[in-house]
Every structure is written in C-alpha cells, then in structure tokens.
Amino acid sequence: MYEANPLANWWLSRHGWLGMASFKAAVVLAVVGLTAVLARSRPRMAGSVLGLVVLYSLALCRPTLLSAHE
C-alpha cells in the first residue's frame, strides 16, 4: 500500500494500520474542529481553509490518477 502524504506515510511505517486509522481520524477531527471555531468569526476564511484541504488532497491523488490513465 502507498500513502502519498509524507507525514501519514511516516506514521504508517512506525505505527501500522491501527495507528494510521487513529492518525487519519485525529486529522479529520482537528480540521473539522478548527474550521468550526474559525467559522464562528470568519466564515469565509473557514470555507477557504476547507477548499485548501480539498486542493491538497487532490494534489496528493494526482500522481495516482495520472498513472491509472497510462
């Protein structure tokens, strides 16, 4: 299995699949929680933060998507 996110890949190699599941859950909760706090005072900025998260995720997927079309 290949993990495109370097930090997550490091975590996977050190802590295995259970650690990876915990890491991913913690990241999702942190992003949702911080964005919710931010949205109370700066809703447009919170939307921008979520948009950046999506763009970063797409950038990580890009090499895999490109190789699938070869």
Side-chain angles (χ1 to χ4, degrees):
M1 203 59 155
Y2 173 73
E3 174 57 54
N5 180 329
L7 181 58
N9 190 42
W10 177 85
W11 196 270
L12 174 62
S13 69
R14 305 276 182 308
H15 302 286
W17 289 108
L18 183 58
M20 176 59 98
S22 301
F23 173 80
K24 294 285 186 170
V27 169
V28 168
L29 289 173
V31 169
V32 169
L34 292 172
T35 305
V37 169
L38 182 60
R40 294 184 64 144
S41 61
R42 306 279 308 264
R44 289 185 66 175
M45 184 180 281
S48 296
V49 168
L50 291 178
L52 288 173
V53 169
V54 169
L55 290 176
Y56 177 70
S57 297
L58 288 173
L60 290 176
C61 293
R62 188 168 187 251
T64 303
L65 294 173
L66 291 177
S67 67
H69 290 288
E70 292 177 355

